Amino acid sequence: GPASLGAVLIDGSRADALSPTAPPDATISEALGHQTNNVAEWSGFVAALDAAIEAGAHDVEIRADSELVVKQFNGIYRVKAPHLVGYLRQAQEKARRIPRLRVVHVRREENGQADRLANEALDGARG
């Protein structure tokens, strides 16, 4: 169905960095057209890596609410769907450009700002 991505970037040195309500230093929000939820989740993950690289970050923690993407990226689950393998490869290539990277799963409630951005992108695409 209709798909989108949303991500927030927060400087980890801030005292409020781990707060779900911390104001972001930057955001990403994009409508993706008609896609699967897995494509949307992987697209958001790759976009977050791009943003971290563009910001020149050397120590990054991605806190993602997609357990599937987190476990696939961390090598716990295999990527079985052929159309998702390219996303994993892109993410691995980009991850090599970040000296210290941690990818952790968080509950959706802890990722509300990113979820809101994704919903706003969907709303904008619908007009």
Side-chain angles (χ1 to χ4, degrees):
S4 63
L5 64 87
V8 297
L9 285 78
I10 299 171
D11 182 338
S13 66
R14 290 179 20 197
D16 66 346
L18 295 179
S19 170
T21 60
D25 295 302
T27 62
I28 305 165
S29 182
E30 181 181 342
L32 301 172
H34 189 83
Q35 299 291 343
T36 67
N37 65 321
N38 291 337
V39 166
E41 290 168 348
W42 269 109
S43 295
F45 186 79
V46 170
L49 287 169
D50 282 337
I53 291 166
E54 187 176 309
H58 298 324
D59 186 357
V60 174
E61 180 173 280
I62 294 181
R63 301 170 61 81
D65 62 21
S66 171
E67 185 175 8
L68 178 73
V69 169
V70 170
K71 288 189 174 184
Q72 287 178 333
F73 180 79
N74 286 330
I76 297 166
Y77 292 168
R78 282 182 330 147
V79 177
K80 297 178 186 175
H83 70 287
L84 298 177
V85 171
Y87 290 98
L88 174 61
R89 288 190 182 133
Q90 281 181 47
Q92 290 169 330
E93 181 180 313
K94 292 172 189 300
R96 285 191 279 276
R97 298 175 56 193
I98 301 171
R100 182 177 159 110
L101 174 66
R102 293 163 312 288
V103 178
V104 297
H105 177 255
V106 295
R107 292 186 334 262
R108 191 172 193 174
E109 302 82 50
E110 296 177 56
N111 217 11
Q113 292 186 74
D115 194 46
R116 179 185 52 77
L117 288 165
N119 286 327
E120 286 175 3
L122 274 181
D123 292 343
R126 290 182 185 135

